[in-house]
PDB file of all heavy atoms in Angstrom:
ATOM      1  N   PRO B 319      -6.013 -11.798   6.271  1.00 90.00           N
ATOM      2  CA  PRO B 319      -4.683 -12.406   6.185  1.00 90.00           C
ATOM      3  C   PRO B 319      -3.513 -11.456   6.449  1.00 90.00           C
ATOM      4  O   PRO B 319      -2.556 -11.841   7.109  1.00 90.00           O
ATOM      5  CB  PRO B 319      -4.626 -12.932   4.758  1.00 90.00           C
ATOM      6  CG  PRO B 319      -5.587 -12.084   3.995  1.00 90.00           C
ATOM      7  CD  PRO B 319      -6.650 -11.666   4.952  1.00 90.00           C
ATOM      8  N   ASN B 320      -3.560 -10.226   5.939  1.00 89.00           N
ATOM      9  CA  ASN B 320      -2.353  -9.381   6.063  1.00 89.00           C
ATOM     10  C   ASN B 320      -2.707  -7.907   6.108  1.00 89.00           C
ATOM     11  O   ASN B 320      -3.873  -7.524   6.057  1.00 89.00           O
ATOM     12  CB  ASN B 320      -1.401  -9.653   4.899  1.00 89.00           C
ATOM     13  CG  ASN B 320      -2.089  -9.482   3.565  1.00 89.00           C
ATOM     14  OD1 ASN B 320      -3.134  -8.847   3.471  1.00 89.00           O
ATOM     15  ND2 ASN B 320      -1.515 -10.054   2.534  1.00 89.00           N
ATOM     16  N   TRP B 321      -1.679  -7.097   6.183  1.00 89.00           N
ATOM     17  CA  TRP B 321      -1.867  -5.666   6.349  1.00 89.00           C
ATOM     18  C   TRP B 321      -2.538  -5.032   5.136  1.00 89.00           C
ATOM     19  O   TRP B 321      -3.357  -4.139   5.269  1.00 89.00           O
ATOM     20  CB  TRP B 321      -0.525  -5.001   6.645  1.00 89.00           C
ATOM     21  CG  TRP B 321      -0.648  -3.526   6.895  1.00 89.00           C
ATOM     22  CD1 TRP B 321      -0.222  -2.536   6.088  1.00 89.00           C
ATOM     23  CD2 TRP B 321      -1.264  -2.889   8.018  1.00 89.00           C
ATOM     24  NE1 TRP B 321      -0.520  -1.312   6.635  1.00 89.00           N
ATOM     25  CE2 TRP B 321      -1.167  -1.508   7.822  1.00 89.00           C
ATOM     26  CE3 TRP B 321      -1.890  -3.362   9.173  1.00 89.00           C
ATOM     27  CZ2 TRP B 321      -1.653  -0.577   8.732  1.00 89.00           C
ATOM     28  CZ3 TRP B 321      -2.387  -2.428  10.070  1.00 89.00           C
ATOM     29  CH2 TRP B 321      -2.267  -1.066   9.852  1.00 89.00           C
ATOM     30  N   SER B 322      -2.204  -5.505   3.949  1.00 91.00           N
ATOM     31  CA  SER B 322      -2.813  -4.883   2.765  1.00 91.00           C
ATOM     32  C   SER B 322      -4.310  -5.166   2.737  1.00 91.00           C
ATOM     33  O   SER B 322      -5.094  -4.349   2.247  1.00 91.00           O
ATOM     34  CB  SER B 322      -2.131  -5.346   1.487  1.00 91.00           C
ATOM     35  OG  SER B 322      -2.373  -6.697   1.281  1.00 91.00           O
ATOM     36  N   ALA B 323      -4.719  -6.321   3.296  1.00 91.00           N
ATOM     37  CA  ALA B 323      -6.155  -6.591   3.390  1.00 91.00           C
ATOM     38  C   ALA B 323      -6.818  -5.602   4.352  1.00 91.00           C
ATOM     39  O   ALA B 323      -7.952  -5.158   4.112  1.00 91.00           O
ATOM     40  CB  ALA B 323      -6.388  -8.022   3.857  1.00 91.00           C
ATOM     41  N   VAL B 324      -6.108  -5.258   5.421  1.00 89.00           N
ATOM     42  CA  VAL B 324      -6.660  -4.274   6.369  1.00 89.00           C
ATOM     43  C   VAL B 324      -6.866  -2.949   5.653  1.00 89.00           C
ATOM     44  O   VAL B 324      -7.907  -2.294   5.782  1.00 89.00           O
ATOM     45  CB  VAL B 324      -5.704  -4.085   7.569  1.00 89.00           C
ATOM     46  CG1 VAL B 324      -6.213  -2.998   8.488  1.00 89.00           C
ATOM     47  CG2 VAL B 324      -5.542  -5.374   8.336  1.00 89.00           C
ATOM     48  N   GLU B 325      -5.860  -2.559   4.861  1.00 88.00           N
ATOM     49  CA  GLU B 325      -5.970  -1.290   4.141  1.00 88.00           C
ATOM     50  C   GLU B 325      -7.107  -1.325   3.135  1.00 88.00           C
ATOM     51  O   GLU B 325      -7.818  -0.353   2.935  1.00 88.00           O
ATOM     52  CB  GLU B 325      -4.641  -0.982   3.453  1.00 88.00           C
ATOM     53  CG  GLU B 325      -3.591  -0.549   4.447  1.00 88.00           C
ATOM     54  CD  GLU B 325      -2.390   0.067   3.776  1.00 88.00           C
ATOM     55  OE1 GLU B 325      -1.967  -0.487   2.739  1.00 88.00           O
ATOM     56  OE2 GLU B 325      -1.876   1.064   4.294  1.00 88.00           O
ATOM     57  N   GLN B 326      -7.258  -2.499   2.502  1.00 90.00           N
ATOM     58  CA  GLN B 326      -8.343  -2.666   1.541  1.00 90.00           C
ATOM     59  C   GLN B 326      -9.697  -2.484   2.240  1.00 90.00           C
ATOM     60  O   GLN B 326     -10.586  -1.814   1.727  1.00 90.00           O
ATOM     61  CB  GLN B 326      -8.230  -4.062   0.911  1.00 90.00           C
ATOM     62  CG  GLN B 326      -9.008  -4.235  -0.372  1.00 90.00           C
ATOM     63  CD  GLN B 326      -8.592  -3.228  -1.431  1.00 90.00           C
ATOM     64  OE1 GLN B 326      -7.410  -2.989  -1.624  1.00 90.00           O
ATOM     65  NE2 GLN B 326      -9.550  -2.626  -2.101  1.00 90.00           N
ATOM     66  N   MET B 327      -9.826  -3.085   3.421  1.00 89.00           N
ATOM     67  CA  MET B 327     -11.079  -2.961   4.167  1.00 89.00           C
ATOM     68  C   MET B 327     -11.327  -1.517   4.560  1.00 89.00           C
ATOM     69  O   MET B 327     -12.460  -1.036   4.509  1.00 89.00           O
ATOM     70  CB  MET B 327     -11.030  -3.832   5.427  1.00 89.00           C
ATOM     71  CG  MET B 327     -11.335  -5.287   5.128  1.00 89.00           C
ATOM     72  SD  MET B 327     -10.914  -6.347   6.500  1.00 89.00           S
ATOM     73  CE  MET B 327     -11.963  -5.721   7.757  1.00 89.00           C
ATOM     74  N   LEU B 328     -10.282  -0.845   4.922  1.00 88.00           N
ATOM     75  CA  LEU B 328     -10.403   0.555   5.294  1.00 88.00           C
ATOM     76  C   LEU B 328     -10.928   1.359   4.105  1.00 88.00           C
ATOM     77  O   LEU B 328     -11.724   2.279   4.245  1.00 88.00           O
ATOM     78  CB  LEU B 328      -9.026   1.077   5.716  1.00 88.00           C
ATOM     79  CG  LEU B 328      -8.966   2.261   6.653  1.00 88.00           C
ATOM     80  CD1 LEU B 328      -9.698   1.949   7.931  1.00 88.00           C
ATOM     81  CD2 LEU B 328      -7.524   2.609   6.957  1.00 88.00           C
ATOM     82  N   TRP B 329     -10.486   0.984   2.936  1.00 89.00           N
ATOM     83  CA  TRP B 329     -10.903   1.672   1.733  1.00 89.00           C
ATOM     84  C   TRP B 329     -12.356   1.342   1.394  1.00 89.00           C
ATOM     85  O   TRP B 329     -13.143   2.215   1.062  1.00 89.00           O
ATOM     86  CB  TRP B 329      -9.962   1.303   0.592  1.00 89.00           C
ATOM     87  CG  TRP B 329     -10.354   1.832  -0.744  1.00 89.00           C
ATOM     88  CD1 TRP B 329     -10.558   1.114  -1.877  1.00 89.00           C
ATOM     89  CD2 TRP B 329     -10.592   3.201  -1.091  1.00 89.00           C
ATOM     90  NE1 TRP B 329     -10.915   1.930  -2.903  1.00 89.00           N
ATOM     91  CE2 TRP B 329     -10.944   3.229  -2.451  1.00 89.00           C
ATOM     92  CE3 TRP B 329     -10.549   4.396  -0.388  1.00 89.00           C
ATOM     93  CZ2 TRP B 329     -11.249   4.401  -3.115  1.00 89.00           C
ATOM     94  CZ3 TRP B 329     -10.863   5.567  -1.059  1.00 89.00           C
ATOM     95  CH2 TRP B 329     -11.197   5.565  -2.406  1.00 89.00           C
ATOM     96  N   TRP B 330     -12.719   0.048   1.494  1.00 89.00           N
ATOM     97  CA  TRP B 330     -14.104  -0.338   1.220  1.00 89.00           C
ATOM     98  C   TRP B 330     -15.073   0.383   2.139  1.00 89.00           C
ATOM     99  O   TRP B 330     -16.192   0.683   1.778  1.00 89.00           O
ATOM    100  CB  TRP B 330     -14.283  -1.854   1.426  1.00 89.00           C
ATOM    101  CG  TRP B 330     -13.676  -2.664   0.342  1.00 89.00           C
ATOM    102  CD1 TRP B 330     -13.388  -2.259  -0.925  1.00 89.00           C
ATOM    103  CD2 TRP B 330     -13.285  -4.030   0.424  1.00 89.00           C
ATOM    104  NE1 TRP B 330     -12.835  -3.297  -1.633  1.00 89.00           N
ATOM    105  CE2 TRP B 330     -12.759  -4.382  -0.833  1.00 89.00           C
ATOM    106  CE3 TRP B 330     -13.329  -4.985   1.444  1.00 89.00           C
ATOM    107  CZ2 TRP B 330     -12.273  -5.666  -1.104  1.00 89.00           C
ATOM    108  CZ3 TRP B 330     -12.858  -6.251   1.164  1.00 89.00           C
ATOM    109  CH2 TRP B 330     -12.326  -6.587  -0.088  1.00 89.00           C
ATOM    110  N   ASN B 331     -14.601   0.634   3.330  1.00 88.00           N
ATOM    111  CA  ASN B 331     -15.464   1.250   4.330  1.00 88.00           C
ATOM    112  C   ASN B 331     -15.672   2.735   4.067  1.00 88.00           C
ATOM    113  O   ASN B 331     -16.454   3.379   4.744  1.00 88.00           O
ATOM    114  CB  ASN B 331     -14.821   1.043   5.705  1.00 88.00           C
ATOM    115  CG  ASN B 331     -15.838   1.033   6.806  1.00 88.00           C
ATOM    116  OD1 ASN B 331     -17.032   0.948   6.528  1.00 88.00           O
ATOM    117  ND2 ASN B 331     -15.396   1.138   8.021  1.00 88.00           N
ATOM    118  N   THR B 332     -14.967   3.281   3.054  1.00 88.00           N
ATOM    119  CA  THR B 332     -15.009   4.726   2.844  1.00 88.00           C
ATOM    120  C   THR B 332     -16.408   5.262   2.590  1.00 88.00           C
ATOM    121  O   THR B 332     -16.805   6.265   3.172  1.00 88.00           O
ATOM    122  CB  THR B 332     -14.091   5.101   1.667  1.00 88.00           C
ATOM    123  OG1 THR B 332     -12.797   4.678   1.996  1.00 88.00           O
ATOM    124  CG2 THR B 332     -14.082   6.592   1.450  1.00 88.00           C
ATOM    125  N   TYR B 333     -17.168   4.543   1.746  1.00 88.00           N
ATOM    126  CA  TYR B 333     -18.511   5.053   1.417  1.00 88.00           C
ATOM    127  C   TYR B 333     -19.387   5.085   2.652  1.00 88.00           C
ATOM    128  O   TYR B 333     -20.098   6.045   2.927  1.00 88.00           O
ATOM    129  CB  TYR B 333     -19.140   4.191   0.328  1.00 88.00           C
ATOM    130  CG  TYR B 333     -18.348   4.252  -0.943  1.00 88.00           C
ATOM    131  CD1 TYR B 333     -17.527   3.216  -1.325  1.00 88.00           C
ATOM    132  CD2 TYR B 333     -18.392   5.407  -1.725  1.00 88.00           C
ATOM    133  CE1 TYR B 333     -16.764   3.298  -2.465  1.00 88.00           C
ATOM    134  CE2 TYR B 333     -17.635   5.498  -2.879  1.00 88.00           C
ATOM    135  CZ  TYR B 333     -16.825   4.439  -3.236  1.00 88.00           C
ATOM    136  OH  TYR B 333     -16.054   4.537  -4.366  1.00 88.00           O
ATOM    137  N   LEU B 334     -19.316   3.990   3.417  1.00 89.00           N
ATOM    138  CA  LEU B 334     -20.085   3.937   4.656  1.00 89.00           C
ATOM    139  C   LEU B 334     -19.644   5.047   5.598  1.00 89.00           C
ATOM    140  O   LEU B 334     -20.444   5.652   6.294  1.00 89.00           O
ATOM    141  CB  LEU B 334     -19.895   2.583   5.324  1.00 89.00           C
ATOM    142  CG  LEU B 334     -20.541   1.414   4.605  1.00 89.00           C
ATOM    143  CD1 LEU B 334     -20.134   0.109   5.258  1.00 89.00           C
ATOM    144  CD2 LEU B 334     -22.057   1.565   4.626  1.00 89.00           C
ATOM    145  N   ARG B 335     -18.330   5.325   5.585  1.00 89.00           N
ATOM    146  CA  ARG B 335     -17.785   6.332   6.479  1.00 89.00           C
ATOM    147  C   ARG B 335     -18.314   7.714   6.093  1.00 89.00           C
ATOM    148  O   ARG B 335     -18.718   8.499   6.941  1.00 89.00           O
ATOM    149  CB  ARG B 335     -16.265   6.308   6.406  1.00 89.00           C
ATOM    150  CG  ARG B 335     -15.596   7.131   7.484  1.00 89.00           C
ATOM    151  CD  ARG B 335     -14.098   7.012   7.399  1.00 89.00           C
ATOM    152  NE  ARG B 335     -13.668   5.633   7.313  1.00 89.00           N
ATOM    153  CZ  ARG B 335     -12.828   5.167   6.414  1.00 89.00           C
ATOM    154  NH1 ARG B 335     -12.303   5.970   5.509  1.00 89.00           N
ATOM    155  NH2 ARG B 335     -12.487   3.899   6.407  1.00 89.00           N
TER     156      ARG B 335
END
Side-chain angles (χ1 to χ4, degrees):
Chain B
N320 54 19
W321 183 250
S322 67
V324 176
E325 286 194 318
Q326 197 58 44
M327 279 167 61
L328 205 58
W329 174 236
W330 286 338
N331 207 13
T332 301
Y333 297 104
L334 290 173
R335 191 177 311 130

